[in-house]
Amino acid sequence: MCVQWVVVLSGSGFDLMAFGRGLLVGHLVTLRRFVRTFLVGAGRTLARRGGGTLPVDLFQAPVPGTEPVIQQTAQTEGLFTVEYPDERLKIPERFRVLPVLIYDDHDGGVRCTCCNICAKVCPPQCIWMTHAHGPDGDPVSAPADFFIDMDVCMNCGLCAEYCPFDAIKMDQNFELANHERHQSHVFGLQDLLVSSGYYEETHPEAWSSSEEESEREKLSKKKRQRLEKALNASSESTRSV
Amino acid sequence: MSETSKISLEPPKTASRPEWSIPIDPALQKELERHVLVTRWDQLTELVETVYNWGRRSSLWPLGFGLACCAIEMICTASSRFDLSRFGAEVFRGSPRQADVMIVSGTVTKTMMPVIVRLYDQMTEPKYVISMGACASGGGPFKEGYNVVSGIDKFLPVDVYVPGCPPTPNALIHGLITLQKRIDGESLADLPWYQDSVEREIPIPVLGPDLIDLRTVELAAQRTARGLVEQREAALPKPVILPAPVADLPPAPVEPAKPETPVLSKADLIRARMQGGGAPAAPTGTPQDSPVPPVGEPAARPKAVRKVKMAEARPSLKWLGNEGLAELGARLNQRFGVGTATIVKAGLLVPPSVWLDVARFLRDENPIRYDYLSSLQSVHYSDCMEVNYHLDSIERPGSLILVRVRCAEGEGQASLPSVYGVWPGADLQEREVYDMMGVRFAGHPNLSRILMWEGFAGYPLRKDYLEPYYEGPTKVLESRIADGQHVRAEELNPFGTNMKVPSTFTGWAELDSASDPKNPTLTEVSQGVNLAAIDSESFVLSMGPQHPSTHGVFRMNLRVDGETIVALKPVMGYMHRNHEKIGERNTFLMNFPFTDRLDYLTSMANNFSYALAVEQLMGDDLKIPERAEYLRVIMAELTRIASHLWGIGFQLNDLGAFFTPALYAIEERELILDLFEWVSGSRMMCNYFRFGGVSSDLPPGWVERCRGIVENRLDAKIDELDRLLSGNEIMLERSRGVGVLSAADAVACSTSGPVLRGSGVAHDLRRAVPYGIYDRFAFDVITHPGGDIYARYRVRLLEMRESVRILKQALRDLPGGPILAGKKSYQIKVPAGEALSRTESPKGELGFYLISDGVTPAAYRYHVRSPSFINITVLERMCLGHTIADVVGILGSLDIVLGEVDR
């Protein structure tokens, strides 16, 4: 490379820029990028999107729950930063963090039937469940307790994918940092339960899909049948009395 | 805190101000109180605390220390989209002495643990630890591995745990905010580093027969001597060890199978099936059913015979073929004598005594010259240890053959000739077989453990080696579904942690914190290097495993003469997470999320290769829907672009362009990760492929955004990177002619991917042995003749353009339809047989070698042919004669990912 330097200098006099042209072009690229950051798109207003509409940042955080949600697409130009926690990136529906168990809003029924399929497909085997028993000692289709060790869960979503009853789903909440793990990172049944309304709100596409709708139909039909059976049984017993 | 007030004397004024311990003239006191602040020590510090804590929490400098996949998200947190510098924390320090917080991001392995403790001890107070991710918190999905520590809090005090696998950058920022809040609440009076009574230094654990914590060494010694480990293992069900496959034998009578077969009779059944169901002389290409009893058997066949489906016997989808193999076998027998080559399940069984001669013949004299050792792995059978070799030809790719060589089964007794002299690419792979199975290779230049450390007790991949947290031969583990009460794995182990020491070990007193079992193998100057005439002493420098430029926890022992490298030995295993052992316990479906974590930058590509391997066993009549095929290609090419963006960005980091090209590249990669998150639910660990297709269809709007990115954005951004970098004189100066790898060396050392193509060899598996529907796309195979750093950079850049080209075609032709063959089911039946998939991952040739026995839901043998691992074979020869600064650049040009190197 030194030889080329000398040749350039001594040879074609005014072609001194032969060394340095690449550097210059590169710097023009970074300069253009720098200028465009504040000329187009998100950077143009110089206002922090999360902190209010003033051009000056007064370090005011937005009210929790009202943070602006930013969606970045193929057309995104300019300032690329999304200033968490005052701004949020749009979370796609299928985003998965930790599993949750669903109970139906209208009657509080836990959907899980303790079929163990999620425990069987879980790759690191982080799901344990104990079967509930009825008063006569026979097992019933419900979990007595349900444990997920969050220090082992790999957020893969296989449990939710293969649950036949739409009972376990992946939640999107990622703000889980805490100071202690031995007491709090094994989630029990009560820790895991969320309402079906919450699930519908966070997963509208899945909620309205044909598979989940038909599963909800099946479940309500089963419940109606059980109710009818119970009513008939009780009316028979009252008649016989 | 110290108390300065004393019981006051009589005057009431002093009683109301106990700070005044000495009574003075009241008038003077009043005057003083108007102008002087008098207070107690702890009240004074309270005034300062707010500012003090604010200063410290707003300038938490992390240590530049990242272990595995979580480290990638940590780097993304420091990049432009998430921007950790808003919190004052973007200044990652290379030295622990300047750092405030250690973010433990990734799986903590036993090999790495002494290094981590050493780094922690060197950090100056005040120091904090954020445990990022499931692995650092509690062992994570790899907790059951024999080389994994069950959480960093086994050794270090942790301030904040951030769950997730991996936690997204926003989750890490949330964790940092949590730490900041804790610091805000700190009181100077209570801080441990100002108190003499608290011992903060942690003794460095020792790599002995296992990782020994010196704080509990006496307890460990007592429990070892009592033989608790052996007691526990005796009570557990053991894995089945199968006999080696044999050539066609006369079929043996079949034993009946009971419906609930305990493990033992399954083995008998499998043995009977394998002996009775050997590959026919001319397979028809359809999966065979269980062997029919031979003619002449009594007609009364016992009922309830379990059928074992056999896959078509072939080493890989594109291979030499049965006729070619038979012809090759005949040629070898003719040349070297009868019995040299026996055909066993579409592979050539060669006795060890003639193996080297056969190898040389195959490489030099055979009409198809087998100059490329694609993969070398070992299998533990009940009657032998088999080492098998997949050989291919660069000039005639797709002529893959499998050669089997067998040796003794006993632990540490097996020995085979090394093929290092024929294919130098066997270097690291043979060391791995020695490390994992105990097979010695005579003639290997440096046969030492490569992933584990010298002194580790046992050969882990042997079927009779049980990990410390072993519960059962395969998953599903009974305790999850039968009794269901949660039990931490630590409670099962007699030591209370992931440790196992053979009861015969007695060297407890010799364990020393200062020992470094992964160091010593380098002393000699490499061949062909001329030390300067001046008599100067060369010394050994250990670079890594914690180093900003080693792309993960990779270590190089360099022997330097001044600044010049005269020898280099790569040391790895610091990220060895026992992927293969875990893979042999997982059912086939469970392995998908684990394959995500191999090369954690290219999860879709890993999924793809693994799916192909199992689908090879499932047979050609498993028709993958067209839409799924196109989706697979789209995801694979998007992954290639994302990986090359990262690779180029970090290669330029290594060359000194600190972070500008990397930040530009990471921005575009973020948009691609958004696409992955949208379709699969996770940015990096996509878990998207399934056997027979993909797991879910595209959400509405996905194709439009992908098209927008591919057609309107990526070309311009790649051109921008090109303009920024390719003509830059400093980059040219530092990369031209540096780290030259000749084409002959590249092929002989089994390199693949941009490393191979950067040396001018036009070998791209998508063109050479097309898989999926790659044969339908028009794209060029990019090569560059230079063989230096610049060549590899250029190949990656131009490959990105070719990937965009493929994406445009795929998006244009994407059909509708189903995305999975058959019904979705978690119970996968995989026929018995062997398979090797070969795909062009962004790093090179990624292969999965699988043996299934057709009955167990898990693989019998599961091996990953890792491109990053094998590409390291050429690192030394590329670095000799260059300076330390060049070594960093050369390693960057190899583009390794430690998750794949160490598995």
Side-chain angles (χ1 to χ4, degrees):
Chain A
M1 204 55 195
C2 287
V3 177
Q4 280 163 276
W5 238 120
V6 171
V7 165
V8 156
L9 279 179
S10 59
S12 44
F14 75 101
D15 205 16
L16 220 58
M17 276 319 291
F19 185 98
R21 161 179 265 118
L23 283 166
L24 198 63
V25 167
H27 276 97
L28 286 176
V29 170
T30 45
L31 185 65
R32 178 176 181 271
R33 203 120 176 194
F34 173 68
V35 167
R36 277 177 68 87
T37 301
F38 300 102
L39 277 189
V40 300
R44 196 154 30 114
T45 61
L46 279 186
R48 281 184 68 228
R49 291 171 287 207
T53 51
L54 295 176
V56 176
D57 183 1
L58 291 180
F59 293 99
Q60 273 174 345
V63 174
T66 66
E67 299 97 350
V69 175
I70 315 289
Q71 169 78 281
Q72 290 183 321
T73 63
Q75 287 76 33
T76 299
E77 291 278 41
L79 196 64
F80 200 67
T81 309
V82 176
E83 299 184 25
Y84 177 86
D86 301 329
E87 299 168 344
R88 301 292 165 118
L89 272 170
K90 181 157 191 305
I91 295 182
E93 177 177 316
R94 296 182 191 175
F95 179 57
R96 41 186 159 85
V97 189
L98 298 178
V100 286
L101 289 170
I102 313 284
Y103 67 85
D104 286 313
D105 256 342
H106 55 271
D107 62 359
V110 176
R111 288 188 190 172
C112 175
T113 61
C114 209
C115 70
N116 280 303
I117 288 180
C118 57
K120 287 180 187 166
V121 291
C122 173
Q125 299 279 274
C126 71
I127 298 181
W128 288 252
M129 64 184 94
T130 48
H131 228 107
H133 293 271
D136 44 0
D138 290 339
V140 297
S141 293
D145 213 340
F146 194 105
F147 302 99
I148 299 187
D149 189 339
M150 297 308 181
D151 287 328
V152 176
C153 173
M154 63 201 296
N155 307 1
C156 66
L158 286 181
C159 53
E161 190 174 329
Y162 289 100
C163 173
F165 303 104
D166 291 337
I168 185 169
K169 294 291 178 190
M170 299 306 284
D171 193 19
Q172 302 158 343
N173 179 27
F174 58 85
E175 292 168 319
L176 301 162
N178 61 0
H179 300 292
E180 193 283 332
R181 76 170 180 100
H182 291 94
Q183 306 297 329
S184 45
H185 277 198
V186 180
F187 284 27
L189 182 60
Q190 294 307 317
D191 304 312
L192 290 167
L193 283 171
V194 298
S195 75
S196 55
Y198 170 79
Y199 175 66
E200 180 178 2
E201 227 179 274
T202 50
H203 296 76
E205 204 182 293
W207 180 268
S208 51
S209 71
S210 54
E211 294 90 3
E212 287 205 21
E213 266 190 34
S214 66
E215 181 58 39
R216 288 196 298 274
E217 288 264 323
K218 261 200 287 184
L219 187 62
S220 55
K221 188 162 148 207
K222 248 192 271 187
K223 285 184 179 172
R224 252 178 299 145
Q225 282 173 346
R226 264 192 296 198
L227 181 63
E228 275 170 27
K229 194 164 131 197
L231 286 175
N232 288 343
S234 71
S235 68
E236 272 169 22
S237 64
T238 50
R239 256 186 270 127
S240 65
V241 159
Chain B
M1 212 48 200
S2 57
E3 226 294 322
T4 55
S5 70
K6 302 266 193 266
I7 304 293
S8 59
L9 299 180
E10 292 330 309
K13 275 200 207 124
T14 49
S16 67
R17 290 301 304 269
E19 294 88 358
W20 288 96
S21 57
I22 304 169
I24 62 174
D25 177 29
L28 178 59
Q29 182 181 332
K30 203 159 158 192
E31 184 71 25
L32 279 173
E33 279 173 5
R34 273 219 307 229
H35 300 291
V36 176
L37 172 67
V38 180
T39 180
R40 285 204 323 265
W41 178 242
D42 48 341
Q43 282 175 353
L44 179 66
T45 54
E46 260 170 40
L47 295 173
V48 180
E49 255 160 34
T50 322
V51 179
Y52 187 87
N53 287 340
W54 172 81
R56 282 201 293 113
R57 56 96 96 191
S58 311
S59 63
L60 281 168
W61 288 3
L63 177 62
F65 165 76
L67 295 173
C69 347
C70 285
I72 306 295
E73 293 290 55
M74 189 173 71
I75 296 172
C76 288
T77 315
S79 306
S80 52
R81 189 188 232 183
F82 303 99
D83 203 6
L84 205 52
S85 63
R86 297 177 289 128
F87 300 89
E90 71 152 11
V91 195
F92 281 75
R93 307 313 294 162
S95 162
R97 295 163 198 217
Q98 299 170 352
D100 300 312
V101 59
M102 174 190 265
I103 303 179
V104 184
S105 49
T107 317
V108 182
T109 56
K110 295 181 186 173
T111 345
M112 191 63 190
M113 197 66 235
V115 177
I116 300 176
V117 175
R118 203 167 263 139
L119 286 169
Y120 182 78
D121 283 341
Q122 286 181 16
M123 282 170 75
T124 50
E125 305 279 9
K127 56 187 172 183
Y128 303 93
V129 175
I130 294 180
S131 160
M132 178 184 179
C135 288
S137 301
F142 295 97
K143 186 170 185 168
E144 59 191 273
Y146 51 83
N147 192 37
V148 175
V149 176
S150 315
I152 192 70
D153 56 6
K154 294 268 184 273
F155 287 90
L156 307 184
V158 173
D159 293 285
V160 173
Y161 296 93
V162 184
C165 188
T168 54
N170 283 341
L172 178 61
I173 293 180
H174 182 257
L176 187 73
I177 294 174
T178 312
L179 178 63
Q180 287 183 330
K181 288 191 184 139
R182 168 171 266 200
I183 296 176
D184 279 338
E186 274 176 357
S187 152
L188 281 171
D190 305 325
L191 291 174
W193 39 84
Y194 295 136
Q195 294 171 19
D196 293 326
S197 55
V198 178
E199 173 56 59
R200 299 274 286 176
E201 178 157 332
I202 299 174
I204 297 171
V206 184
L207 294 176
D210 202 331
L211 182 73
I212 313 286
D213 183 353
L214 289 180
R215 293 170 298 187
T216 54
V217 63
E218 280 151 14
L219 208 57
Q222 284 167 19
R223 292 192 179 160
T224 308
R226 279 161 57 191
L228 293 174
V229 168
E230 283 79 4
Q231 265 176 36
R232 176 174 176 258
E233 286 184 1
L236 294 168
K238 305 289 188 301
V240 176
I241 310 184
L242 298 178
V246 290
D248 300 341
L249 280 183
V254 166
E255 293 175 36
K258 301 185 187 48
E260 307 91 48
T261 43
V263 166
L264 199 52
S265 68
K266 256 190 210 170
D268 289 344
L269 177 69
I270 294 165
R271 255 179 229 121
R273 290 281 175 270
M274 292 199 124
Q275 283 171 354
T284 53
T286 56
Q288 300 153 13
D289 274 329
S290 105
V292 179
V295 180
E297 267 265 302
R301 224 170 112 191
K303 299 266 168 37
V305 168
R306 181 93 64 91
K307 288 186 178 228
V308 174
K309 197 162 168 200
M310 307 286 293
E312 177 186 339
R314 49 185 172 171
S316 184
L317 280 177
K318 300 261 187 316
W319 69 295
L320 188 61
N322 285 296
E323 296 79 26
L325 191 69
E327 189 200 7
L328 179 60
R331 191 178 307 127
L332 285 172
N333 282 329
Q334 192 190 40
R335 175 83 159 74
F336 293 103
V338 172
T340 302
T342 329
I343 298 189
V344 173
K345 292 274 197 285
L348 290 175
L349 176 62
V350 175
S353 48
V354 291
W355 169 221
L356 270 186
D357 299 323
V358 170
R360 278 190 208 103
F361 174 84
L362 287 171
R363 187 193 64 177
D364 300 326
E365 299 171 36
N366 196 46
I368 303 173
R369 293 193 49 238
Y370 285 105
D371 49 359
Y372 191 73
L373 172 69
S374 169
S375 177
L376 192 171
Q377 56 272 329
S378 54
V379 191
H380 181 200
Y381 290 115
S382 60
D383 47 355
C384 69
M385 194 70 90
E386 176 179 297
V387 178
N388 53 43
Y389 307 76
H390 287 98
L391 303 169
D392 200 359
S393 167
I394 293 289
E395 51 203 22
R396 254 196 64 172
S399 320
L400 184 88
I401 57 168
L402 167 64
V403 179
R404 308 169 190 276
V405 185
R406 293 179 180 172
C407 49
E409 187 265 345
E411 185 162 335
Q413 292 169 14
S415 175
L416 283 181
S418 163
V419 292
Y420 177 80
V422 183
W423 297 288
D427 184 359
L428 301 178
Q429 299 184 76
E430 283 181 346
R431 283 179 64 187
E432 183 188 338
V433 170
Y434 167 62
D435 191 1
M436 295 286 117
M437 294 284 198
V439 177
R440 311 193 88 87
F441 290 92
H444 192 280
N446 175 24
L447 191 70
S448 55
R449 292 201 126 157
I450 189 167
L451 295 174
M452 302 305 287
W453 60 90
E454 295 293 343
F456 180 75
Y459 297 107
L461 276 181
R462 285 181 62 95
K463 283 296 190 181
D464 49 11
Y465 178 90
L466 306 179
E467 320 75 291
Y469 283 161
Y470 178 79
E471 288 182 60
T474 58
K475 296 173 182 168
V476 173
L477 301 172
E478 280 305 309
S479 64
R480 306 306 191 264
I481 56 178
D483 47 68
Q485 282 301 327
H486 173 261
V487 166
R488 282 215 155 87
E490 286 89 329
E491 297 163 48
L492 301 171
N493 184 289
F495 296 99
T497 184
N498 191 7
M499 186 166 94
K500 173 174 126 147
V501 179
S503 56
T504 47
F505 179 74
T506 49
W508 298 97
E510 287 81 42
L511 294 174
D512 179 18
S513 274
S515 71
D516 183 12
K518 287 185 85 71
N519 184 22
T521 58
L522 173 76
T523 43
E524 306 313 316
V525 172
S526 270
Q527 270 190 338
V529 175
N530 223 343
L531 273 185
I534 301 173
D535 180 28
S536 62
E537 222 180 80
S538 61
F539 64 95
V540 176
L541 184 67
S542 167
M543 192 166 155
Q546 184 259 341
H547 191 282
S549 322
T550 53
H551 293 256
V553 285
F554 182 62
R555 176 177 178 181
M556 291 177 278
N557 286 340
L558 311 169
R559 178 169 278 279
V560 284
D561 172 34
E563 274 264 332
T564 317
I565 311 290
V566 296
L568 183 155
K569 289 288 176 283
V571 181
M572 50 203 99
Y574 292 96
M575 192 31 56
H576 181 50
R577 295 184 285 189
N578 325 131
H579 180 78
E580 295 186 4
K581 191 78 174 177
I582 295 176
E584 289 168 18
R585 306 260 183 260
N586 284 348
T587 63
F588 288 98
L589 181 66
M590 287 177 183
N591 261 329
F592 270 120
F594 281 95
T595 59
D596 281 339
R597 286 147 176 89
L598 275 173
D599 173 356
Y600 29 81
L601 292 168
T602 64
S603 71
M604 298 274 201
N606 306 336
N607 284 172
F608 197 171
S609 197
Y610 176 64
L612 283 177
V614 175
E615 284 161 7
Q616 179 189 327
L617 289 175
M618 287 171 138
D620 292 332
D621 50 352
L622 174 81
K623 288 276 173 284
I624 301 175
E626 279 296 294
R627 184 174 173 83
E629 292 274 28
Y630 275 88
L631 285 178
R632 285 182 167 191
V633 170
I634 291 172
M635 297 305 168
E637 293 308 311
L638 281 172
T639 307
R640 191 179 315 276
I641 297 174
S643 171
H644 283 332
L645 281 169
W646 186 272
I648 290 178
F650 280 81
Q651 187 174 343
L652 265 294
N653 255 14
D654 293 336
L655 291 177
F658 185 64
F659 254 97
T660 299
L663 285 174
Y664 289 177
I666 291 174
E667 268 186 27
E668 298 316 307
R669 179 176 172 267
E670 288 284 338
L671 291 174
I672 296 179
L673 293 185
D674 277 351
L675 287 174
F676 288 162
E677 196 182 33
W678 196 2
V679 71
S680 72
S682 172
R683 288 150 52 94
M684 276 167 54
M685 306 306 173
C686 303
N687 189 16
Y688 184 59
F689 287 53
R690 297 284 177 267
F691 305 123
V694 295
S695 72
S696 49
D697 208 340
L698 302 176
W702 196 96
V703 177
E704 287 69 33
R705 196 196 294 180
C706 185
R707 229 174 238 140
I709 292 176
V710 166
E711 287 174 19
N712 306 330
R713 190 180 179 107
L714 274 177
D715 277 323
K717 296 296 180 180
I718 295 173
D719 289 341
E720 184 188 61
L721 265 180
D722 195 6
R723 258 193 338 264
L724 179 65
L725 302 172
S726 300
N728 185 297
E729 284 83 0
I730 299 175
M731 195 220 169
L732 290 172
E733 180 83 41
R734 286 211 59 193
S735 57
R736 279 231 152 99
V738 177
V740 178
L741 180 67
S742 68
D745 273 349
V747 169
C749 292
S750 304
T751 52
S752 52
V755 178
L756 181 61
R757 292 192 286 280
S759 296
V761 182
H763 183 75
D764 182 329
L765 289 177
R766 296 172 291 171
R767 186 52 58 73
V769 284
Y771 51 93
I773 49 168
Y774 271 107
D775 43 3
R776 298 188 204 174
F777 295 103
F779 64 97
D780 294 328
V781 172
I782 306 290
T783 60
H784 194 288
D788 50 18
I789 294 180
Y790 186 77
R792 292 185 276 276
Y793 150 79
R794 198 89 190 125
V795 167
R796 288 193 183 101
L797 190 78
L798 296 175
E799 265 184 17
M800 282 203 285
R801 291 208 178 115
E802 295 305 310
S803 287
V804 172
R805 210 169 134 195
I806 297 177
L807 277 167
K808 285 179 183 163
Q809 295 167 53
L811 285 168
R812 180 193 67 207
D813 299 334
L814 177 66
I819 43 108
L820 192 66
K823 208 161 135 328
K824 182 165 93 164
S825 162
Y826 72 96
Q827 283 160 321
I828 318 277
K829 277 273 170 253
V830 178
E834 260 174 270
L836 174 76
S837 65
R838 305 174 72 198
T839 58
E840 186 70 33
S841 140
K843 308 293 192 288
E845 175 181 332
L846 175 64
F848 282 82
Y849 175 74
L850 277 179
I851 298 182
S852 163
D853 63 11
V855 174
T856 349
Y860 180 72
R861 178 73 174 99
Y862 171 75
H863 171 77
V864 181
R865 189 267 184 218
S866 152
S868 302
F869 178 63
I870 297 173
N871 284 351
I872 291 179
T873 316
V874 292
L875 183 61
E876 181 172 15
R877 67 191 68 207
M878 287 200 290
C879 290
L880 291 177
H882 290 295
T883 61
I884 295 180
D886 291 328
V887 168
V888 171
I890 295 169
L891 186 64
S893 74
L894 279 185
D895 198 10
I896 59 171
V897 170
L898 264 297
E900 198 175 57
V901 170
D902 290 336
R903 283 148 289 149

